[in-house]
Amino acid sequence: MIIYCDNCGYQWEADQVMKSLASARRRQGRHLLDIDVYLCPIDKNKYSFAINKNGGVGAFYEFESDPYLSGCYESIEEALEAGIKEALL
């Protein structure tokens, strides 16, 4: 992914967006779960999810380049739904 600065014209390459593309927050008992969607590390046209539980990040080890992401979904909504299901298991 090539990122451009509108102010100065500088450009650089990044593997992942800094802020999640979508997110959801759920409560499971007394635990607060945050589910975030990012670009899939193996296919930038697809999406993966990450789960944070009370500030701790869950590791899936599904992708060598990013152990905290899981799944490879066609849409942001699909990845978010899968992340919610996984978080509530």
Side-chain angles (χ1 to χ4, degrees):
M1 171 175 12
I2 305 293
I3 301 169
Y4 298 93
C5 176
D6 289 338
N7 292 328
C8 69
Y10 182 73
Q11 67 182 28
W12 66 95
E13 191 170 335
D15 289 333
Q16 190 59 265
V17 292
M18 198 166 188
K19 185 178 176 194
S20 64
L21 300 169
S23 61
R25 180 169 274 177
R26 296 289 185 265
R27 186 166 294 283
Q28 184 181 44
R30 49 179 229 223
H31 299 291
L32 192 58
L33 304 169
D34 289 307
I35 301 95
D36 297 302
V37 175
Y38 295 93
L39 294 174
C40 179
I42 60 170
D43 184 345
K44 299 300 183 211
N45 295 313
K46 297 189 179 186
Y47 306 93
S48 299
F49 65 83
I51 298 174
N52 300 303
K53 185 174 186 177
N54 291 336
V57 182
F60 298 96
Y61 302 106
E62 193 172 321
F63 305 110
E64 187 176 318
S65 63
D66 196 331
Y68 305 108
L69 293 177
S70 179
C72 191
Y73 301 93
E74 294 292 327
S75 71
I76 292 172
E77 295 81 9
E78 190 179 358
L80 192 58
E81 286 176 24
I84 291 169
K85 277 186 180 178
E86 179 71 27
L88 297 177
L89 287 179

